[in-house]
C-alpha cells in the first residue's frame, strides 16, 4: 500500500513534529525513533517532482504551536524558565531541572502529607479519598504551569530517582545485589501526577459514573504526555493494570510517542493480552508497528504478521526498525539463514547502528559462524565498547569459543551498563551453567525472569538447571512456564515430557511428548507460510517426526505395559529412517531442510519442493533402538521371520552388532527347536 | 597499548609453528631458531662478553625496535631459503607469508593464539590420561618442551591472551593487519586469488554477495579506522613489555656502564614511547638519568621527583630512603655537597628506622668515600653542627661497622669495597704495604668467590697505583692493560677512562705525548656524552697537554691550559688530580721564573696537606718540590733538613719513586756542600733503580746531578791529572745520558742546559773543536726551543 504524495508529506511533517516534541520533553529515544522513521520514508526529491508547488509557505513543523490556546499561552510565558530547565536536563542535572518548576517545599509537603504510603488510586475507592487529595493539593499546586513544563520537571525527577537507584545498586551479582533497590522519587512523582489528574477531571456526572464503572475518568485538557509518565510510574510501582489504562489513554491522545508503546510492550506478557490491548488502541499506523513489535517480543510468528510487516515496508522502505523486525520474524520462525541475511543487510546499510545487534549475535552463535561473529564484535567494540549490546555481542563470541569466564565478564559488564538488559541475564545464566555454577545460573535466570517474564529461554534455563540438580518438581514448573510461552516449540514440550517421565508420571509424559510431536510438525509447515493446518492431521504420513520423541513415547507405553501402542510408535520411529527419498546422512538432511526453508520465495512451490525432497533421518541411535525393541518383541511373539529380518538389518547398519548377532543365533536355535527336520531353512 | 602481545610476537609464533611442522629446511633451522631466541631472550641475561663492545649491545636494542616496527626483518631472515614442500622458486618467506595471511579474520587469529598449546609436549600426566592407564605412546613430530625457552614463550602468550580484554584483542588484530599489510603487494603478484580485502575473510566473502562495494568500504572504515588507507599513522604495535624491557636495558646501560644512549636510537625510542598511552614510570627514571648525565641539574631534579611521585603508588613507603639516596648522589654530582651530605645523613637515619640494612650500608659507604675524597668539606660540615658527630663516628669506625655489616647482609660487592678501602687507607697513611696487600688479597678473593665483577676496575686501579708507588711502573701499566683487555665488558665507563689515563700518564712519563693523547682520544665518543665523564676527560687531556707544553717550555700555551684547569673548583675533582694540577702550577711558575710565587704556593699546599692528613706520596712530592725551589733560588743548603725528612718518610712508606727523587735532591744538596764523593756514591747506587721506574724525567735529573758530582770531583783533582780527565769523561757521559733522557721527554730547556754543559766540559778538557760543535748544536737547539715554546711542533 503506497501513500499519495500528500499523505506522505503530512506523515513526514507529523513525524518531524513528533521528533521535536519528544526532544522537547527529554524523551530522546522516542525522538530518535521518530526521526529514524521519518528518514526511512521514500526519498524526498522524487516526491518533490510529483508534488504540486505549494501555494503558501508551509511553516516549519518545529514551530508548531500548541493547539490548546491556554497551554500555548502558558508555554509562551514560561519560555525562559523552560529553556533553563531544559538546559539543566540536557546537562543531566535532573534535580536542578525539576526544581525550576516545582519548589522543593512542595515536594516535602507531598511526602509528609500521606504517611500511609500508598499512592492515591482514583480507581474504586471513590470520593472521600479524591476529595481529601484535592483539598490538600489545591493550595500547594497553585502555580499553574503548562503540561510540557510539568512533564519535563516530573520526568527529570523520575530520572533523578533512576540515576540514584543505579548508583545505589550493588555490583552485578554481588553479595548485596538483590535487585531490590527502588526508585525513591516514584512516590512523589506519582502523587503529584494523580493530584494533577484529579484536578483536571471535570467534576460532572459522566466522569463520576465512569469512576464508578472502574474506568478512568476522562481529562479532556491533557495531551497524553503526562498519562505516559504516570503510566510509567505506576508500572514501576507494579500496579500494572492501571498503568496500562493510562498508557492506552496516552496513545489515544498522542500516537507518536514510541516510548509509550514500548512501555506497553513491556507490560504485556501473553499474546491474548496483546490482542486485547491492540483492540483498545486507536487504529493507527503506529499501532500496527506496536503490534508487530510486541508480537516479536512475545516470540510470535504468523503469516498475518508477515503481511502486516510487508504493508509497513511499503510505507517506510528503508526503515532499519522494520528490517530488524523482519529479521526477528525469520528468526522466530526458525529460519536462521534468512534472519542472518536480513541482519547482514541491516549491518551493511547502518553500520553504526548497534540497536538489536545482540539478536544478530545470537543468530550467528546458533549458526556457529565464528569469523562473522568475531567481525561483528570487532565492529561493535569499535563503534562503542560501552554499550550493553556490544558487550552482549562480545560475550556471545567468547561463549562460542568456549571462553566462558570472559563471556560472563562481558555479560556482567552489559548488566552494569543496563540492569534491565534482558538477554544478558539469560545468557549469563547459560554461561554459569557451562561453568557448572548452578546457583549463580539460577540467580541469573531468576533475575532475567524478574526483568521480563516473557523470556522463555530463561524459564527453560531454570528448568534445565534444576534438572541438573535433580529437583524435578521445580524443573517441571519452569518447563511448563516456558512451554506456556512457546506452545509451538517442541523442545519445550519434550523437556516437560522428559521431566514428567523422571517423576514417573507416564501418562502425562506421553501427553506432553505427543504435544511435542505436534509442535514440531507445526513448525515444519509453519515456516512455509500459508499452508499451515492440514498437514497436522496427517502428521504420521508426511510430517517429519523426531525419532527420539517417538522412541521415548514408545518406551513409555512399554513401561505402562501397553505393548500395542508401544509397537506402533516403535514402528513409526523406525519408519522415520527412510522417508521417501534416498537415505542421506542426518546432517545433510538437516542442512537441506534449512536451505529449503530460507527465503519464502513462493508459498506452494516451497511446500512441493519440501515434500518432494523430503528425506529420512537415516539410521540413528533412536531408530536402531526401536528396531532392536521390535526384534525382541517379535521374538516374544514368536514372529521369528520378522525378528530375523530386523536383526539382520541391525547387523547391516552396524549398530549394536553383537547383540543383533546373538539375537539371530537365538532365533535360529528356536526355529531349529521348533522344526528339527528343516535345518538351514534360511 | 598492548601489554605483551604484538604482531611481531605473532610472527615469531608462526615461525615456531613452521619449525614444529618441520617445514624449515635443514640449513635454515639454525638461523631461524637463533633469530627467534635472540628476540625472546631477556636483555638482562644478555651479558656483554669481553669482546663485544658497546655498539653491539645497542644493536640488540635496535633490532628489537626494528622487529616491532616492520615485518621486513622476517623477510631478511627467510628470503634466502627454499620452500620445502612447495613449487620450485618459492621461498620460505612465501610459506611464512602464507601462514600469516591464513590468519584472515579476527577469529582465525584468536583461534591460532588460543590453540598454541598444541605445539607443546604433553606432560606425563596428560599422556597417561590419554592412554587411559596404558603405556603412553611418545608423541610424533617436533614438540616443544614446556619449560624450554619457546615453551615458556608459548605459555606466556597463552596467559596473556587470557588477560586481554576484547577491545585489546581487536587492537591487536588491527595492528596485526597493519603490520602485515606491506606484504600485500608482494602477494598480489604471486597469488592469483589475492584481493584487496583479503586481509579480512568476512569482508572479502561478503563483498559482492551480501554487501555492495560502498557498504563494504564503509564497514571497513569503521572497523579498521582507515588504517589501511594510511589515513593516519596509528600507534606502532609495541607492547608495554617491550617498552619496559627497552627502558630497563637503557637504564642498566646508563647506571652500570655510565654510557649514554646514542642520539638516533634515542629518537626511535622516543617515538615508541610517545605512541604508548600509558608511560611506564621507568620512563621518567630514564629521562632523569638522561638529564643527569647531560648535566641539566634543574631538569634532572624535577624528573627525579616526578619519578618518585609516579612510583609512589606502585611501591611502598620504604622506597623513601632510596629516594633520598638518589637525591644525595644527584646533589653531590652537581656540586651541592652540603645538601648531598645532609640528604645522605637523613638516608642513614631513615634506613636505620626502617631497618633497611642494604640501604644503610650503601649510604655509609657513600659517606665514607665522600669523606675520603673531600675531607675538608666534611670537617667543615661537621663543625657546623655538632649533632652529626653523634650520628657518624670517624671514618675508621664507619669502615669497621661496614665490614661487619656487609658480611652479615651478604652484600659482597660492598664487602669487597670495604676491604679495598681499608687497603687504600693503609697506603695513603703510609702504613705497612704488607697489610695493604693483605687487605687487597682479601678483597680480590671475595671478588672471585662471589663473582663481583663491578669492583674489578677499582681493584685494578689500586694495583696499578700500588705498583707505581713501589716503583714498578711497568707492572702498573700492565695491570691497567689487563683490565682494559679483559674486564671492560662489566665495568663502568669511568673505570675505563681512569685506566686509560693511567696508561696515558705512563706514556707521558716516557715522553710519548702523542701516543698518550691518542689513547685518551680513542675512547668511545658516545660514552663521553655524559657530562661528568666528559669533563674528567677534558681535564685529563688538558693535564697531558699542559705537561707537554711545560716540557716544551711553551709558557703561553701552558698558561692558557693552566688557567682553564684552575677554573674548575677543587671540589669537583679527586684529590690526586687537584694535587697534580697544583704541582703543575708550581712548575709553571718556576719556569716563568716566579720562584717567590712558586714557593708560597708550595708552602700553602704543604700546610694544607699536613692539616688534612693527606696521601704521604703527595706530601713527599711537595716537600721535594720545595727543596728544588730552594736550590733553584741558590739556597740549596736550607733545604737539607727537609730533604732528609722527605727521604725518611719515603723510606718508611716504601714510596720508591719518591725515595729516589729525594735521594737525588739530597745528593744535589751534598754537591752544594762540596761532598761530591758522597753525592756520587748515592747517585750511582740510586740511578739503576730509578731507571726501573720508567720515570725518564727523574733519571735525567739524577744523571744531571751525577754529572755535577763528577765535575765537582774533577775540580778537586789537580788540573791536567789523569784523575781529573777520568772524572771529566764520566761527567761527560752522565751529561750525555741526561741529555738523551731529557730529549726523549722533549724537555727542551734542560736539553739546552745539558748541551751547554757539554760544551763547557769540552772547553775545560781543551777540545775546542768539539766545544764549538756543541756550542753550534746548542744554538740550533735554542732555535728549536724557541719554535717549540711558541707552540709549534
Amino acid at each position: 500500500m503506497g501513500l499519495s504524495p500528500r499523505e506522505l508529506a503530512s506523515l513526514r511533517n507529523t513525524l518531524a513534529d513528533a521528533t521535536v516534541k519528544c526532544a522537547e520533553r527529554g524523551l530522546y529515544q522516542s525522538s530518535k525513533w521518530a526521526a529514524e522513521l521519518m528518514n526511512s520514508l521514500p526519498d524526498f526529491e522524487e516526491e518533490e517532482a510529483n508534488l504540486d508547488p505549494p501555494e503558501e509557505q508551509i511553516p516549519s513543523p518545529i514551530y508548531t504551536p500548541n493547539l490548546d490556546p491556554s497551554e500555548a499561552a502558558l508555554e509562551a510565558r514560561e519560555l525562559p524558565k523552560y529553556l533553563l530547565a531544559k538546559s539543566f536536563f540536557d546537562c543531566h542535572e535532573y534535580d536542578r531541572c525539576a526544581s525550576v518548576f516545582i519548589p522543593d517545599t512542595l515536594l516535602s509537603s507531598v511526602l509528609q502529607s500521606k504517611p500511609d504510603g500508598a499512592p492515591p488510586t482514583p480507581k474504586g475507592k471513590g470520593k472521600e479519598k479524591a476529595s481529601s487529595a484535592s483539598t490538600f493539593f489545591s493550595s500547594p499546586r497553585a502555580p499553574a504551569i503548562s503540561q510540557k513544563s510539568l512533564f519535563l520537571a516530573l520526568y527529570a525527577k523520575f530520572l533523578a530517582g533512576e540515576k540514584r537507584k543505579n548508583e545505589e545498586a550493588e555490583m552485578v551479582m554481588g553479595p548485596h545485589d538483590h535487585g531490590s533497590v527502588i526508585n525513591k522519587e516514584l512516590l512523589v512523582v506519582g502523587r503529584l501526577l494523580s493530584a494533577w489528574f484529579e484536578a483536571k477531571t471535570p467534576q460532572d456526572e459522566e466522569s463520576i459514573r465512569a469512576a464508578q464503572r472502574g474506568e478512568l475518568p476522562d481529562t479532556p485538557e491533557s495531551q497524553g504526555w503526562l498519562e505516559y509518565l504516570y503510566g510509567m510510574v505506576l508500572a514501576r510501582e507494579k500496579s500494572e493494570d492501571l498503568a496500562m489504562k493510562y498508557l492506552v489513554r496516552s496513545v489515544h491522545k498522542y500516537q507518536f510517542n514510541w516510548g509509550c508503546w514500548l512501555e506497553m510492550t513491556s507490560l504485556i506478557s501473553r499474546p491474548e493480552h496483546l490482542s486485547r490491548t491492540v483492540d483498545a488502541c486507536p487504529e493507527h499506523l503506529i499501532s500496527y508497528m506496536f503490534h508487530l513489535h510486541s508480537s516479536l517480543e512475545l516470540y510470535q510468528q504468523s503469516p498475518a504478521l508477515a503481511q502486516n510487516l510487508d504493508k509497513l515496508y511499503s510505507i517506510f522502505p528503508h526503515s532499519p526498525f522494520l528490517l530488524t523486525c523482519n529479521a526477528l520474524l525469520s528468526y522466530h520462525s526458525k529460519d536462521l539463514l534468512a534472519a542472518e541475511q536480513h541482519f547482514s543487510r541491516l549491518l551493511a546499510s547502518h553500520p553504526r547502528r548497534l540497536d538489536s545487534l545482540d539478536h544478530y549475535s545470537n543468530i550467528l552463535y546458533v549458526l556457529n559462524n565464528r569469523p562473522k561473529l568475531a567481525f561483528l564484535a570487532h565492529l561493535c567494540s569499535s563503534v562503542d565498547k560501552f554499550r550493553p549490546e556490544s558487550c552482549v555481542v562480545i560475550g556471545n563470541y567468547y561463549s562460542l569459543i568456549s571462553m566462558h569466564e570472559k563471556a560472563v565478564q562481558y555479560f556482567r559488564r552489559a548488566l552494569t551498563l543496563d540492569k534491565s538488559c534482558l538477554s544478558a541475564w539469560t545468557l549469563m545464566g547459560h554461561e554459569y551453567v557451562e561453568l557448572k555454577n548452578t546457583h549463580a545460573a539460577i540467580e541469573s535466570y531468576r533475575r532475567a525472569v524478574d526483568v521480563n517474564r516473557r523470556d522463555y529461554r530463561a524459564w527453560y534455563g531454570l528448568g534445565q538447571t534444576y534438572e541438573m540438580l535433580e529437583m524435578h518438581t521445580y524443573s517441571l514448573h519452569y518447563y511448563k512456564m516456558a512451554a506456556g510461552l512457546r506452545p509451538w516449540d517442541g523442545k519445550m514440550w519434550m523437556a516437560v515430557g522428559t521431566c514428567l517421565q523422571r517423576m514417573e508420571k507416564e501418562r502425562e509424559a506421553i501427553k506432553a511428548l505427543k504435544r511435542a510431536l505436534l509442535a514440531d510438525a507445526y513448525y515444519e509447515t509453519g515456516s512455509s507460510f500459508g499452508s499451515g493446518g492440514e498437514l497436522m492431521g496427517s502428521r504420521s504420513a508426511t510430517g517429519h517426526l523426531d525419532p527420539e520423541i517417538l522412541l521415548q513415547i514408545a518406551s513409555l507405553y512399554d513401561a505402562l505395559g501397553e505393548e500395542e501402542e508401544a509397537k506402533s510408535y516403535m514402528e513409526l520411529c523406525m519408519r522415520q529412517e527412510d522417508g521417501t527419498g534416498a537415505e542421506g546422512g542426518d546432517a545433510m538432511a538437516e542442512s537441506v531442510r534449512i536451505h529449503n526453508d530460507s527465503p519464502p520465495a513462493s508459498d506452494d512451490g516451497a511446500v512441493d519442493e519440501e515434500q518432494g525432497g523430503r528425506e529420512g533421518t537415516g539410521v540413528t541411535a533412536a531408530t536402531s533402538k526401536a528396531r532392536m525393541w521390535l526384534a525382541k518383541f517379535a521374538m516374544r511373539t514368536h514372529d521369528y521371520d520378522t525378528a530375523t529380518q530386523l536383526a539382520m538389518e541391525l547387523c547391516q547398519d552396524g549398530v549394536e552388532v553383537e547383540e543383533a548377532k546373538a539375537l539371530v543365533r537365538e532365533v535360529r536355535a528356536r526355529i531349529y527347536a521348533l522344526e528339527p527336520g528343516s535345518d538351514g531353512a534360511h | 597499548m598492548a601489554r605483551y602481545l604484538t604482531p611481531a610476537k605473532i610472527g615469531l609464533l608462526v615461525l615456531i609453528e613452521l619449525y614444529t611442522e618441520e617445514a624449515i629446511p635443514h640449513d635454515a633451522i639454525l638461523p631461524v631458531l637463533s633469530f627467534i631466541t635472540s628476540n625472546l631472550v631477556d636483555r638482562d641475561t644478555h651479558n656483554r662478553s669481553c669482546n663485544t663492545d658497546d655498539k653491539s649491545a645497542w644493536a640488540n636494542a635496535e633490532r628489537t625496535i626494528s622487529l616491532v616496527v616492520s615485518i621486513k626483518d622476517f623477510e631478511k631472515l627467510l628470503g634466502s631459503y627454499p620452500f620445502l614442500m612447495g613449487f620450485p622458486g618459492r621461498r620460505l618467506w612465501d610459506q611464512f607469508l602464507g601462514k600469516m595471511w591464513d590468519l584472515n579474520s579476527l577469529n582465525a587469529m584468536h583461534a591460532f593464539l588460543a590453540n598454541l598449546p598444541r605445539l607443546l609436549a604433553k606432560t606425563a600426566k596428560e599422556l597417561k590420561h590419554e592412554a587411559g592407564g596404558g603405556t603412553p605412546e611418545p608423541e610424533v613430530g617436533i614438540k616443544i618442551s614446556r619449560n624450554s625457552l619457546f615453551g615458556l614463550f608459548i605459555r606466556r602468550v597463552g596467559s596473556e591472551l587470557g588477560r586481554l580484554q576484547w577491545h585489546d584483542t581487536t587492537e591487536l588484530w588491527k595492528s596485526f593487519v597493519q603490520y602485515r599489510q606491506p606484504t600485500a603487494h608482494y602477494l598480489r603478484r604471486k597469488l592469483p586469488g589475492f584481493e584487496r580485502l583479503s586481509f579480512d575473510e568476512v569482508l572479502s566473502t561478503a563483498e559482492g554477495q551480501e554487501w555492495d562495494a560502498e557498504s563494504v568500504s564503509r564497514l571497513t572504515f569503521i572497523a579498521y579506522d582507515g588504517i589501511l588507507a594510511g589515513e593516519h599513522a596509528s600507534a606502532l604495535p609495541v607492547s608495554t613489555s617491550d617498552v619496559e624491557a627497552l627502558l630497563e636495558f637503557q637504564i642498566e646501560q646508563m647506571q652500570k656502564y655510565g654510557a649514554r644512549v646514542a642520539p638516533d636510537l634515542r629518537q626511535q625510542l622516543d617515538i615508541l614511547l610517545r605512541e604508548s598511552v600509558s608511560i611506564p614510570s621507568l620512563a621518567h627514571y630514564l629521562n632523569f638519568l638522561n638529564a643527569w648525565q647531560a648535566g641539566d641539574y634543574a631538569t634532572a631534579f624535577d624528573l627525579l621527583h616526578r619519578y618518585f611521585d609516579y612510583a609512589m603508588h606502585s611501591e611502598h613507603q620504604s622506597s623513601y630512603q632510596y629516594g633520598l639516596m638518589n637525591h644525595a648522589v644527584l646533589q653531590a654530582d652537581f656540586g651541592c655537597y652540603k645538601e648531598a651530605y645532609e640528604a645522605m645523613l637523613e638516608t642513614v637515619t631513615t634506613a636505620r628506622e626502617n631497618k633497611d640494612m642494604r640501604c644503610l650500608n650503601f649510604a655509609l659507604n657513600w659517606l665514607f668515600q665522600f669523606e675520603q675524597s673531600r675531607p675538608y668539606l666534611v670537617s667543615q660540615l661537621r663543625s657546623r653542627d655538632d649533632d652529626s658527630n653523634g650520628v657518624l663516628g670517624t671514618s675508621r669506625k664507619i669502615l669497621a661497622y661496614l665490614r661487619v655489616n656487609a658480611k652479615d647482609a651478604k652484600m659482597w660487592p660492598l664487602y669487597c669495597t670495604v676491604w679495598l678501602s681499608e687497603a687504600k687507607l693503609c697506603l695513603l697513611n703510609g702504613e705497612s704495604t704488607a697489610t695493604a696487600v693483605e687487605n687487597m688479597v682479601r678483597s680480590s678473593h671475595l671478588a672471585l668467590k662471589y663473582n663481583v665483577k663491578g669492583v674489578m676496575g677499582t681493584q685494578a686501579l689500586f694495583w696499578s697505583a700500588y705498583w707505581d708507588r713501589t716503583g714498578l711502573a711497568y707492572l702498573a701499566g700492565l695491570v691497567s692493560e689487563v683490565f682494559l683487555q679483559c674486564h671492560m665488558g662489566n665495568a663502568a665507563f669511568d673505570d675505563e677512562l681512569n685506566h686509560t689515563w693511567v696508561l696515558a700518564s705512563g706514556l707521558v712519563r716516557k715522553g710519548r705525548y702523542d701516543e698518550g693523547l691518542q689513547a685518551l682520544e680513542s675512547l668511545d665518543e658516545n660514552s663521553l656524552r655524559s657530562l661528568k665523564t666528559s669533563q674528567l676527560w677534558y681535564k685529563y687531556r688538558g693535564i697531558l697537554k699542559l705537561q707537554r707544553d711545560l716540557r716544551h717550555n711553551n709558557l703561553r700555551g701552558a698558561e692558557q691550559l693552566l688557567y682553564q684547569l684552575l677554573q674548575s673548583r677543587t671540589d669537583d675533582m679527586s684529590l690526586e688530580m687537584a694535587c697534580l694540577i697544583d704541582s703543575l702550577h708550581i712548575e709553571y711558575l718556576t719556569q716563568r721564573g716566579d720562584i717567590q710565587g712558586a714557593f708560597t704556593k708550595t708552602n700553602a699546599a704543604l700546610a694544607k696537606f699536613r692539616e688534612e692528613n693527606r696521601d704521604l706520596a703527595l706530601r713527599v712530592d711537595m716537600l721535594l718540590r720545595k727543596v728544588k725551589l730552594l736550590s733553584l733560588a741558590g739556597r740549596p743548603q736550607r733545604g737539607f733538613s727537609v730533604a732528609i725528612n722527605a727521604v725518611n718518610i719515603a723510606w718508611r712508606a716504601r714510596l720508591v719513586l719518591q725515595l729516589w727523587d729525594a735521594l737525588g735532591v739530597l745528593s744535589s744538596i751534598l754537591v752544594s756542600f762540596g761532598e761530591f764523593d758522597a753525592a756520587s756514591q748515592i747517585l750511582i747506587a740510586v740511578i739503576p733503580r730509578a731507571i726501573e721506574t720508567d720515570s725518564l724525567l727523574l733519571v735525567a735529573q739524577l744523571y744531571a746531578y751525577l754529572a755535577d758530582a763528577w765535575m765537582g770531583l774533577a775540580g778537586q783533582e789537580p788540573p791536567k791529572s789523569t784523575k781529573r780527565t777520568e772524572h771529566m769523561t764520566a761527567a761527560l757521559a752522565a751529561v750525555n745520558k741526561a741529555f738523551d733522557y731529557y730529549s726523549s721527554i722533549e724537555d727542551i730547556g734542560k736539553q739546552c742546559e745539558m748541551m751547554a754543559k757539554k760544551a763547557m766540559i769540552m772547553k775545560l778538557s781543551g777540545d775546542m773543536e768539539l766545544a764549538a760543535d756543541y756550542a753550534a748544536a746548542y744554538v740550533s737547539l735554542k732555535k728549536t726551543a724557541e719554535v717549540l715554546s711558541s707552540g709549534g711542533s
Side-chain angles (χ1 to χ4, degrees), chain B residues 329-520:
Chain B
V329 175
L330 178 68
Q331 298 273 26
D333 248 23
F334 284 103
C336 307
Y337 298 107
K338 183 173 161 272
E339 288 87 342
Y341 189 75
E342 277 163 7
M344 204 46 105
L345 285 182
E346 203 182 334
T347 312
V348 170
T349 325
T350 324
R352 267 184 195 158
E353 272 170 20
N354 295 347
K355 301 216 167 39
D356 188 344
M357 279 332 248
R358 293 181 68 84
C359 183
L360 180 61
N361 290 348
F362 273 126
L364 285 175
N365 187 35
W366 186 88
L367 277 174
F368 170 72
Q369 304 287 359
F370 184 73
E371 195 174 343
Q372 285 301 303
S373 57
R374 289 173 188 82
Y376 48 98
L377 265 175
V378 174
S379 58
Q380 243 178 4
L381 288 169
R382 279 196 179 176
S383 64
R384 202 175 298 164
D385 49 345
D386 310 323
D387 185 63
S388 57
N389 248 331
V391 179
L392 299 164
T394 59
S395 55
R396 277 281 181 186
K397 270 190 196 162
I398 293 179
L399 213 54
Y401 175 84
L402 280 178
R403 199 164 54 207
V404 176
N405 269 301
K407 198 179 171 190
D408 288 348
K410 295 199 168 46
M411 295 167 69
W412 305 120
L414 185 64
Y415 199 36
C416 280
T417 323
V418 169
W419 283 115
L420 197 76
S421 307
E422 196 115 338
K424 237 187 225 167
L425 265 186
C426 276
L427 273 195
L428 293 184
N429 294 339
E431 291 165 29
S432 157
T433 47
T435 321
V437 170
E438 187 192 330
N439 287 334
M440 257 326 279
V441 168
R442 272 189 194 156
S443 173
S444 310
H445 171 71
L446 283 169
L448 280 181
K449 192 169 170 189
Y450 298 105
N451 194 22
V452 187
K453 290 174 184 158
V455 296
M456 256 6 214
T458 342
Q459 282 190 353
L461 215 54
F462 173 86
W463 282 120
S464 71
Y466 174 77
W467 294 126
D468 210 27
R469 276 158 190 262
T470 42
L472 297 168
Y474 178 71
L475 275 180
L478 192 70
V479 169
S480 290
E481 196 92 34
V482 165
F483 172 81
L484 287 181
Q485 288 286 326
C486 305
H487 297 291
M488 269 244 305
N490 301 310
F493 180 72
D494 275 354
D495 284 335
E496 192 184 338
L497 183 62
N498 283 330
H499 280 282
T500 316
W501 168 241
V502 168
L503 281 180
S505 59
L507 288 168
V508 165
R509 252 189 278 173
K510 290 185 200 155
R512 286 143 73 178
Y513 301 105
D514 289 338
E515 282 175 51
L517 212 55
Q518 214 178 349
L520 276 179

Side-chain angles (χ1 to χ4, degrees), chain A residues 10-20 33-35 37-39 41 256 286 316:
Chain A
S10 84
L11 183 57
R12 185 174 288 123
N13 282 345
T14 323
L15 282 170
D17 183 44
T19 309
V20 174
W33 187 84
L37 203 62
M38 180 171 71
N39 281 290
L41 285 168
F256 286 94
I286 308 295
F316 303 104

Side-chain angles (χ1 to χ4, degrees), chain A residues 644-659:
Chain A
T644 317
Q645 193 197 342
L646 287 170
M648 296 297 268
E649 277 174 21
L650 269 176
C651 285
Q652 273 175 9
D653 296 340
V655 189
E656 296 182 58
V657 179
E658 291 304 316
E659 208 180 337

Side-chain angles (χ1 to χ4, degrees), chain B residues 206 308 410 459 522 590 609 664 675 684 726 734 770 773:
Chain B
F308 284 131
K410 295 199 168 46
Q459 282 190 353
S522 67
T590 321
F609 286 179
E675 298 286 343
I684 285 168
E726 230 172 77
L770 265 178
D773 278 358

